Every structure is written in structure tokens, then in C-alpha cells.
Amino acid sequence: MPKAFEGSGIVEGTRELAALLLQANYAMVLTGAGMDTESNIPDFRGKNGLWKNYDPRVVADISTFQQNYKLFHRFFMDQFGKMKGVKPHPGHYALAEFERRGLIKGIATQNISGLHKRAGSKNIYELHGSTNEFFCNNCGREATEEDMTEMKPCRHCGEYAVRPDVVLFGEVLPEETWKTAVNEIKKCDLLLVIGTSLEVSPVNQLPYLAKGKKVLLNNENISAGYRFDLVILGKAGEILSQLAAIIASTGVK
Ligand code: APR
């Protein structure tokens, strides 16, 4: 079991992470909802997580979408509303900077917020989709955000089946995105896992594919069974900012 750095030990742990990042030839990042909570988007299973108030299998499942569109729409709009007006925090910008410096090759994310993209990251694999696009679940044709927010029928087939391009429970992940993320993580010699409970399959299998060093950056220790080489317990945004400052102080171009 690796030593977990927390509290006053976070700086030492972050220094160790900086050394691993600078030594790595092909570092990849895997993020979850804990990456977005410092941008005021609640996570799902943390202490104030969304699934404390809703049963995901009821409100975020494809069967709910098909059998009770109004309930799905109400839940989704409640969450979508919380995402309007949020913005990337310094941790998102730090990851974009690491990519610019060539220190990380890409980010596989479970998040649908689009905050990595807005912070300037380029190689992003949105494994659970994103709320940037909408389509009709009945005829597959594109729809607009307004069609979704106004709960309009599909403008092509007339069905009430407009939805966001996100992966609901009971659905498969976008095939090409998944395959690319798997290949990238198989290639990496350092995997940095940030802000995820690793409770949801198949994403929770990805850390097992990483052959090199594995680092967990999370505010609770969910590392059991994953054999992380380094565990830093704390807030992602704060720690990534410290990491960026340490990297910048090394003068790495
Ligand atoms: N810094 C670091 N860790 C944090 C922070 C933070 N600021 N905030 C929360 N965390 C931790 C939580 O303690 C928890 O361990 O991040 C983790 C978030 O876990 P989940 O809420 O389960 O989110 P995630 O792992 O992304 O969920 C996976 O489940 O419901 C589905 O589709 C949904 O993509 C989501 C998937």
C-alpha cells in the first residue's frame, strides 16, 4: 500500500508527482467528477454527492428516458442548469498547460461538463459524452439545446425524445472514444487519476491497463486494489496548482 500524502504532507507528495511527471515519456490523465467540484458542479458519490438525493438507476437510466421522459427531463435540466455559468478552475488550466509543455499526452474524462476543453486542453476523450450536443433518441437526427431546454418534440420526427449526447446508465460508451482512451492508457508510462471514486465500469478498469507508474489525486482514499505508486489526498484544483508552480520553477520549457 503506497504512502498517502495528505495535510501537511501534500507538498512533499506533489513534489514527488512533479518528479514523476518530468521523468515520464507518455503521461495520461483520467478524471472524474471530483475534478469539477471546485467549479461548483456537485459530484455523485462524495459527501454531498448527487446520488445522495437521487437514485441514478431511476433518473439517469435509458429505461427512465424511454418510459418517463418528463422525469428524465426534469432531472437532466436540474443538473444542466447547475452547469450553466460554471467555469474551469486553476486545476483545469494546469492540466492544459502540462499538455502544452508536452508533459501529458491527453485526458480521458468521465465528466460531461466540457471544462477541460474550455480550459484549453486538446486531447480529451469524453468517455461519458458531453452536454455540447443534443439529438433525437427516436430518429437519431440532431437537435438543439433549445429543443432540449424547452422540451420540444423532435423537429424531424415529432417524438418527445430529444436528449443530450451523454451516456446514460444502461448504455454503451462511444466506441471510438473508448478504444482511443484504452490505447492511450495502455501506452502510457504514467497515469494520473484525479477526482473519481472508480466505482463505475468500464472506466474503473482503465487503471489496470496502465503498465507504468500510477498516481491517485483524490480527496478520499479509494486506492484499494489498484496498486497506486503514489497517493495524494486533497483538493484536485489546489494540488494541481501547486504542481504547476513546482513544474514552472524547474524551468522546463
Ligand atoms: N478534489 C479531489 N477529489 C474530489 C474533489 C476535489 N475537489 N471533490 C470530490 N472528490 C472525490 C470524491 O471524494 C470522490 O471520491 O472525487 C470522487 C468523485 O467520485 P464520483 O462522485 O463517484 O464521480 P465519478 O467517479 O466521476 O463517477 C463516475 O458515475 O454517476 C456516474 O456518469 C456518472 O461519470 C459519472 C460516473
Side-chain angles (χ1 to χ4, degrees):
M1 190 76 153
K3 181 168 179 277
F5 291 91
E6 54 187 319
S8 58
I10 285 180
V11 175
E12 184 191 347
T14 308
R15 283 210 183 92
E16 284 200 22
L17 174 53
L20 289 175
L21 205 48
L22 290 165
Q23 285 155 19
N25 296 310
Y26 208 99
M28 278 293 293
V29 177
L30 170 63
T31 63
M35 182 72 212
D36 287 355
T37 52
E38 289 159 88
S39 289
N40 298 320
I41 299 177
D43 66 9
F44 299 97
R45 298 173 186 83
K47 54 182 180 306
N48 303 314
L50 201 57
W51 299 149
K52 299 269 190 287
N53 306 316
Y54 290 100
D55 175 349
R57 294 284 167 192
V58 172
V59 293
D61 194 292
I62 184 62
S63 55
T64 305
F65 177 92
Q66 287 159 338
Q67 290 151 25
N68 189 340
Y69 185 70
K70 277 206 173 73
L71 172 61
F72 170 83
H73 187 272
R74 193 167 58 244
F75 166 74
F76 177 77
M77 289 315 296
D78 179 36
Q79 298 318 309
F80 189 54
K82 285 182 188 141
M83 287 187 196
K84 305 307 279 175
V86 298
K87 50 188 191 306
H89 60 63
H92 294 106
Y93 290 110
L95 291 177
E97 177 60 18
F98 297 156
E99 184 182 17
R100 269 193 295 276
R101 286 173 180 262
L103 293 172
I104 64 171
K105 299 298 179 190
I107 302 172
T109 186
Q110 301 170 86
N111 300 341
I112 61 173
S113 62
L115 288 178
H116 285 305
K117 197 175 287 180
R118 285 175 53 194
S121 290
K122 300 286 179 238
N123 294 333
I124 305 166
Y125 311 104
E126 293 177 314
L127 302 170
H128 290 171
S130 85
T131 51
N132 292 337
E133 280 158 31
F134 297 84
F135 67 95
C136 170
N137 201 62
N138 181 54
C139 69
R141 309 272 286 278
E142 85 289 340
T144 65
E145 182 176 324
E146 190 199 342
D147 294 338
M148 182 77 207
T149 48
E150 306 294 317
M151 201 154 93
K152 288 183 180 167
C154 167
R155 57 186 68 202
H156 305 287
C157 71
E159 282 295 307
Y160 281 94
V162 170
R163 59 172 287 177
D165 190 14
V166 299
V167 179
L168 302 178
F169 280 98
E171 290 190 307
V172 291
L173 275 58
E175 192 178 348
E176 283 315 305
T177 307
W178 172 253
K179 271 189 201 159
T180 308
V182 165
N183 290 336
E184 288 298 291
I185 288 176
K186 279 181 177 172
K187 267 196 282 189
C188 79
D189 58 355
L190 174 65
L191 176 66
L192 175 51
V193 177
I194 307 174
T196 175
S197 61
L198 290 176
E199 292 229 354
V200 173
S201 170
V203 174
N204 62 359
Q205 302 305 301
L206 289 175
Y208 296 118
L209 304 178
K211 305 278 183 300
K213 297 272 188 197
K214 284 192 283 279
V215 177
L216 174 71
L217 201 179
N218 205 55
N219 68 3
E220 57 179 354
N221 196 342
I222 53 94
S223 63
Y226 281 99
R227 280 208 282 274
F228 282 103
D229 300 280
L230 174 63
V231 173
I232 305 175
L233 299 178
K235 296 178 81 171
E238 290 175 5
I239 293 165
L240 287 169
S241 299
Q242 280 178 25
L243 181 61
I246 294 168
I247 297 274
S249 68
T250 63
V252 165
K253 281 285 160 266

